[in-house]
Amino acid sequence: MTRLWGVRPRWRTDVLGDFFCPGCGGDRNYRRQHGRRWLRLLGTPVLPLGPVIGSVQCTGCHGRFGVESLEQPTCVRLGGMLRDAQYTIALALLAAGGTAHRAAREAACTAVREAGFEDCGEAQVLAALAALSGLGGELHDAHDVGAPSGRRLGESSGLAVELHAVLEPLAPHLAHQGRERLLLQGAAIALADGRYLPQEREALAAVGRCLDLPQARVGALLEAATRAPY
């Protein structure tokens, strides 16, 4: 039987977009909506009763969620953030250790390609490093004429800023193991040409802070990395 009366919201759409739907477990389209409760008689709204809290409705499962669900990055966006993180860490460690050793350059380039930049070769990596670290053209010919022995991250202000900008927004969305794996990828680049340099340890410590890893855990991971085969 049809109910004679009831109270239901009436929704209006403000914004359309893409989000990670908690109900579907994947990327979907959404409607961000605001609404007002209405007293309905035989299904027809007759009397407004007041506003309701804005919400997000998935166009796939039609589930309704709080607007805070938009803070979770989509799978596509998260993949892009992760690629940028691996790329930036590789540049930071290469800057800290210097580009004199072929093994370090190759390790950094391999990490960049594995991150998803398949067409990014050594020339592109060195050009990006020069632009961010303020070394101008020094790095392009570093492996031919004798490279700088490495810089402290604080001197490479572009890379320091980039680490914070790229890693800190990513950290809350990664499991603890994922954050540790990013740190260990940086450690592998630092160790490719031998033991850690002081500036490489500083760069890795900065990576750990940006990823919200405890200092003691960062130290333990870096020590364990010296015994791992690469």
Side-chain angles (χ1 to χ4, degrees):
M1 295 179 60
T2 304
R3 294 182 61 181
L4 292 178
W5 64 275
V7 176
R8 287 176 53 196
R10 189 175 185 180
W11 298 100
R12 294 184 182 274
T13 298
D14 300 317
V15 179
L16 300 173
D18 301 323
F19 81 136
F20 181 86
C21 175
C24 297
D27 294 351
R28 297 291 186 270
N29 295 323
Y30 72 83
R31 304 183 187 95
R32 181 169 178 173
Q33 299 178 314
H34 73 278
R36 179 177 293 274
R37 292 181 297 119
W38 284 78
L39 177 66
R40 295 172 180 263
L41 180 63
L42 296 176
T44 302
V46 294
L47 181 66
L49 298 178
V52 294
I53 297 175
S55 64
V56 173
Q57 185 183 42
C58 173
T59 61
C61 67
H62 302 291
R64 194 169 290 279
F65 310 96
V67 294
E68 65 275 5
S69 62
L70 298 180
E71 297 174 5
Q72 173 69 27
T74 64
C75 295
V76 172
R77 174 60 182 149
L78 188 60
M81 293 169 69
L82 189 57
R83 286 193 298 272
D84 290 345
Q86 292 175 269
Y87 180 80
T88 306
I89 290 172
L91 291 184
L93 268 298
L94 191 57
T99 58
H101 297 281
R102 177 173 296 276
R105 299 196 306 271
E106 289 179 348
C109 291
T110 297
V112 167
R113 287 192 293 270
E114 289 178 351
F117 300 94
E118 293 88 353
D119 298 329
C120 192
E122 184 175 303
Q124 290 85 351
V125 169
L126 293 178
L129 180 57
L132 283 172
S133 62
L135 294 178
E138 296 177 29
L139 292 175
H140 290 286
D141 300 318
H143 54 284
D144 296 322
V145 298
S149 60
R151 286 191 164 197
R152 296 186 183 277
L153 193 62
E155 298 175 24
S156 303
S157 58
L159 279 169
V161 170
E162 194 73 6
L163 275 179
H164 286 279
V166 171
L167 298 185
E168 289 179 353
L170 174 65
H173 304 294
L174 287 182
H176 196 78
Q177 295 86 342
R179 287 179 279 145
E180 290 185 353
R181 185 171 183 272
L182 283 175
L183 179 71
L184 289 173
Q185 288 175 340
I189 296 171
L191 293 169
D193 55 1
R195 301 176 63 181
Y196 296 120
L197 297 175
Q199 56 266 34
E200 289 174 330
R201 284 190 175 274
E202 289 183 11
L204 289 166
V207 170
R209 288 192 297 272
C210 291
L211 291 173
D212 198 25
L213 290 171
Q215 184 177 354
R217 183 58 179 163
V218 169
L221 287 170
L222 297 187
E223 179 60 28
T226 63
R227 301 187 296 270
Y230 291 110

